[in-house]
Amino acid sequence: MNAVGTIYVAEGADIDRAEDTAARLGIAICRGEPQTDGNPVLYLTAQGLSLTDGRQTMRGDFTDDIPRLRRNNLGGELLVRAARVKAEQPTALDATAGMGEDSLLLAAAGFHVTMYEYDGVIAELLDDTMRRAAKVPELADAVGRMTLVRGDSIEAMKKMTSSPDVILLDPMFPERQKSALVKKKFQLIHRLERPCDVQDEMLNAAFALAPKKIVIKRPAKGEFLAGRTPSYSLRGKAIRYDCIVPCER
């Protein structure tokens, strides 16, 4: 059941797209300004799709990340360093896509990234972000290597017959809901995310695919995912990437 029950459509917005979104999510569609009563709703305007509760409004925007994607900066990104593997055309599976910022970094670094997002509302917001980013010259190349799949990554991994080079896991945990790690612009969207209660199942599904590397994003002082010690870790001030090389274990 979606935490969001309505999509509002502003004058001048694409009504056909709004109807498609409403149908996918099984929610109501209304024209005009959002009526929230403090509850989150979707709002489609000519500028894009946003989530709002009347107090906060959130719309994905990859243009904020353009400086990070420049060649002289990208190589220093902790995630890019953690995911580095030997492959001519590396592939990555982002099992917990969220709003796609991590996948964008990997795509900019040359990975072909398949992103899975189980929450329908977040997936719609990410899809909208990618649509707009594809029209920005500095982002188009990277976004062209990103593929969004709406659905459960664990079930998808169990059915795969081939493995990506890298699997990225960034599970949502209860302690992160109030953490300073949650950027202010994303606080609203975290109301939609459920804490991860399938740590072992997620990690086991990743292991079963035998990728070259599993990269797990964690708070700097957070516990290891499912209690499994990584092969090595890369640490930043607030974030740590635990890297597991399955062939070494």
Side-chain angles (χ1 to χ4, degrees):
M1 181 178 178
N2 285 307
V4 173
T6 308
I7 178 171
Y8 287 84
V9 189
E11 184 177 352
D14 188 339
I15 186 64
D16 291 335
R17 196 171 143 211
E19 289 175 347
D20 288 344
T21 299
R24 276 192 295 270
L25 296 177
I27 62 177
I29 182 170
C30 296
R31 292 180 181 269
E33 296 290 320
Q35 304 298 315
T36 69
D37 295 324
N39 297 311
V41 299
L42 289 171
Y43 185 36
L44 182 65
T45 69
Q47 287 71 47
L49 185 68
S50 59
L51 181 71
T52 182
D53 64 358
R55 297 182 295 273
Q56 290 180 300
T57 297
M58 181 268 165
R59 178 188 295 144
D61 187 358
F62 285 163
T63 61
D64 291 345
D65 295 301
I66 289 175
R68 302 175 69 188
L69 307 186
R70 293 176 183 142
R71 186 174 298 275
N72 60 330
N73 293 329
L74 188 61
E77 286 286 341
L78 209 59
L79 172 58
V80 173
R81 290 167 51 201
R84 194 169 290 140
V85 292
K86 292 183 179 180
E88 187 173 336
Q89 293 185 323
T91 57
L93 186 157
D94 185 346
T96 48
M99 285 304 296
E101 288 191 322
D102 288 336
S103 286
L104 178 67
L105 287 175
L106 293 179
F111 282 84
H112 290 265
V113 187
T114 302
M115 306 174 293
Y116 284 84
E117 179 50 53
Y118 66 82
D119 186 278
V121 173
I122 297 174
E124 293 297 329
L125 290 165
L126 176 54
D127 178 74
D128 177 77
T129 304
M130 292 171 63
R131 285 172 184 253
R132 288 181 280 108
K135 300 176 183 178
V136 179
E138 298 93 332
L139 297 169
D141 185 57
V143 173
R145 287 191 289 273
M146 297 166 66
T147 301
L148 173 62
V149 179
R150 295 168 170 84
D152 188 326
S153 62
I154 295 176
E155 294 306 313
M157 285 191 283
K158 289 178 180 178
K159 297 175 183 176
M160 288 180 184
T161 56
S162 60
S163 175
D165 293 311
V166 173
I167 297 177
L168 173 63
L169 308 178
D170 179 17
M172 177 69 180
F173 285 84
E175 67 267 22
R176 282 185 52 196
Q177 290 178 330
K178 296 181 180 179
S179 171
L181 296 178
V182 179
K183 296 179 182 179
K184 185 176 181 180
K185 67 178 181 178
F186 289 151
Q187 287 175 356
L188 179 59
I189 208 168
H190 274 249
R191 291 172 58 181
L192 307 180
E193 293 184 309
R194 68 187 181 198
C196 179
D197 56 3
V198 286
Q199 305 175 44
D200 289 285
E201 188 177 6
M202 177 180 286
L203 193 50
N204 287 338
F207 262 104
L209 284 175
K212 293 179 179 178
K213 189 181 290 185
I214 300 170
V215 178
I216 305 168
K217 186 177 183 178
R218 301 293 292 128
K221 297 181 180 179
E223 298 178 354
F224 294 138
L225 182 66
R228 299 199 193 187
T229 303
S231 304
Y232 62 94
S233 298
L234 296 182
R235 298 175 182 273
K237 292 181 179 180
I239 293 293
R240 185 186 78 236
Y241 288 99
D242 293 334
C243 303
I244 299 175
V245 183
C247 65
E248 294 181 355
R249 303 179 73 82

